[in-house]
Amino acid sequence: MDHKELVELDHQYVMQTYGRFDVDIDHGQGATLYDLAGKEYIDFSSGIGVNSIGYANPKWVQAITDQAGKLGHISNLFYSQPYAKLAQQLCRRSGMAAAFFGNSGAEANEGMIKLARKYSFDKYGKGRGTVITLRNSFHGRTITTLTATGQDVFHNYFFPFADGFRYAVAGDMDSLQEVAGHDVCAVMLELVQGEGGVLPMDPAYVHDLAVLCAERDWLLLVDEVQTGVGRTGTLFAFQQYGIIPDAVSFAKGIAGGLPMGGFLANERCREVLGPGTHAATFGGNPICAAAAQVVLDTLDEDTLAQVTEKGKYIRARIEHMGLSSLGATRGLGMMIGVEVTGEESNKAMAARLIRNGLLVLTAGSALRLLPPLTITMAEIDKGLAIMKDTLL
Ligand SMILES: *Cc1c(COP(=O)(O)O)cnc(C)c1O
């Protein structure tokens, strides 16, 4: 099959919900990808933050293969080792107390919202189910997480949306106080807003917000679907912000390319969701859990330190290219936003970069870079050279 035939097949049989780039991808190795015609691409996108340890990592392939040959799935009615060991690792390395496993980011955030509402219901009864989220946030595509998402463009078509969400301006404690009320049970936020444009939260604001949550007995829910699993240079971004969330969600990078999501709860929230209150058929799937174990093992202290270093390197190199079309960079670790300053839109720029062999993402009005966390310096330099040649 060639590119044209594949595109025809897609257009005939697949719902056209994505605006795809006119590129197909067939296989990859490390942070390098190849299309059906054999053309090479350097990956600064990780399949939107998913391929945390690159493509075809031998340990990852082996772990998946071994687990598939042993036990591909068993319901959560039975004990099995992979999810239990993974939960232990995640808790030990985050300081959290217990894990719940699902399949995606939106599902993970829905679970956190359920946890917060039940915590509040158990303690205070009905009427305290409102969750405050931030303007410009992104929390997922289900009806509830779309409602949680603080961007009006997402609140369209699919009426009626869920009740129980109010929005505060990010970084503004007065705005948070304005939407506060006796019906609130939680605040949910991303520490670096991803889809919204790679916008890191001010640490002082996050600190004040955590204090207010503690005072009001609101749960502090951190959506680390994009920032988690080493993306920002620590296993979770909250570990750099000096806060302890009541619950933290993860997904994207956790299993290095297999579908997995979930959330961790701290000690006081570990028992909120008791038997029969929450479930996911595929949650904690043994193959995904085995893959995630390899991801966590790979992201040791040394590799995480390199995420910080490589992120700094990429940002410094881009800022020193002196390209008139690019402005300042921002972000944390290898979650990088680059301001677009010229006439050309970020989307048009991304399309040209991709055509020239560098996969990048956009977010808000910026270019967004999420390279695999294990990308080599040689691959980084190759990617940056393509950027320089393309954007001039
Ligand atoms: C991607 C993302 C989600 C949604 O994850 P899905 O797996 O697509 O459901 C939620 N929150 C944040 C911060 C994300 O980046």
Side-chain angles (χ1 to χ4, degrees):
M1 185 177 289
D2 66 13
H3 179 70
K4 191 166 161 284
E5 288 163 341
L6 174 56
V7 171
E8 277 170 16
L9 198 62
D10 175 287
H11 287 191
Q12 188 168 358
Y13 292 110
V14 178
M15 282 188 208
Q16 297 297 302
T17 61
Y18 302 100
R20 294 191 215 280
F21 293 103
D22 191 25
V23 167
D24 65 72
I25 298 295
D26 187 62
H27 62 281
Q29 185 68 240
T32 306
L33 289 159
Y34 302 89
D35 67 14
L36 280 169
K39 180 177 164 182
E40 184 185 290
Y41 300 82
I42 297 296
D43 184 21
F44 280 8
S45 72
S46 303
I48 318 187
V50 168
N51 298 92
S52 42
I53 58 171
Y55 301 88
N57 176 295
K59 288 189 183 143
W60 184 81
V61 172
Q62 193 63 49
I64 289 169
T65 311
D66 289 349
Q67 189 57 47
K70 200 173 163 193
L71 181 72
H73 173 80
I74 187 69
S75 75
N76 281 302
L77 302 176
F78 301 97
Y79 295 99
S80 69
Q81 284 185 65
Y83 75 80
K85 287 184 174 169
L86 180 63
Q88 179 191 39
Q89 278 274 324
L90 283 167
C91 290
R92 279 193 175 160
R93 292 181 61 178
S94 66
M96 302 297 276
F100 177 89
F101 295 108
N103 312 286
S104 71
E107 190 191 354
N109 290 336
E110 288 239 9
M112 285 205 300
I113 293 162
K114 286 176 73 176
L115 180 133
R117 287 185 176 163
K118 183 158 184 302
Y119 170 87
S120 190
F121 181 90
D122 289 348
K123 210 163 160 183
Y124 303 98
K126 272 189 180 165
R128 197 173 177 278
T130 298
V131 177
I132 298 174
T133 62
L134 300 185
R135 291 272 167 213
N136 204 40
S137 57
F138 182 80
H139 297 297
R141 294 280 190 166
T142 62
I143 296 283
T144 300
T145 55
L146 271 180
T147 315
T149 293
Q151 301 186 52
D152 294 338
V153 290
F154 288 102
H155 302 159
N156 235 319
Y157 318 125
F158 310 113
F159 302 99
F161 286 93
D163 283 334
F165 291 92
R166 285 205 295 275
Y167 315 101
V169 175
D172 181 344
M173 283 304 288
D174 292 340
S175 169
L176 198 64
Q177 294 282 8
E178 272 166 32
V179 297
H182 296 295
D183 58 341
V184 172
C185 66
V187 176
M188 178 164 72
L189 79 161
E190 305 155 85
L191 292 172
V192 183
Q193 291 186 330
E195 304 301 316
V198 192
L199 304 164
M201 292 292 147
D202 171 28
Y205 169 72
V206 173
H207 172 264
D208 292 350
L209 188 154
V211 169
L212 183 66
C213 283
E215 278 170 14
R216 300 283 189 101
D217 200 15
W218 299 343
L219 294 196
L220 176 56
L221 311 177
V222 180
D223 176 352
E224 294 231 28
V225 168
Q226 193 160 156
T227 53
V229 198
R231 176 54 56 189
T232 66
T234 45
L235 192 62
F236 289 98
F238 80 76
Q239 294 168 306
Q240 293 178 62
Y241 274 86
I243 54 163
I244 299 172
D246 293 295
V248 55
S249 60
F250 55 86
K252 290 192 164 86
I254 182 72
L258 293 189
M260 180 175 240
F263 55 98
L264 305 171
N266 69 5
E267 198 56 48
R268 80 165 162 155
C269 294
R270 61 173 296 149
E271 288 180 0
V272 171
L273 296 174
T277 58
H278 194 46
T281 298
F282 288 112
N285 171 272
I287 298 176
C288 299
Q293 192 71 52
V294 176
V295 170
L296 290 188
D297 290 348
T298 305
L299 300 181
D300 56 15
E301 255 175 57
D302 186 44
T303 308
L304 289 175
Q306 283 178 37
V307 170
T308 301
E309 288 312 308
K310 287 172 185 169
K312 280 186 189 155
Y313 175 80
I314 293 170
R315 288 177 60 183
R317 282 282 311 271
I318 290 174
E319 296 203 344
H320 289 123
M321 274 179 198
L323 300 173
S324 60
S325 52
L326 296 183
T329 67
R330 54 179 180 255
L332 206 57
M334 276 212 277
M335 182 165 178
I336 300 168
V338 188
E339 205 49 61
V340 168
T341 51
E343 300 261 288
E344 192 179 23
S345 74
N346 59 343
K347 298 233 162 61
M349 208 177 254
R352 281 202 302 126
L353 286 165
I354 291 169
R355 223 177 302 132
N356 285 352
L358 177 66
L359 301 193
V360 298
L361 299 160
T362 61
S365 61
L367 283 183
R368 176 173 45 152
L369 311 179
L370 304 173
L373 305 178
T374 52
I375 190 169
T376 63
M377 291 308 289
E379 286 168 320
I380 290 174
D381 285 339
K382 226 173 179 179
L384 291 170
I386 295 171
M387 185 177 278
K388 194 169 181 202
D389 289 347
T390 305
L391 302 179
L392 290 170

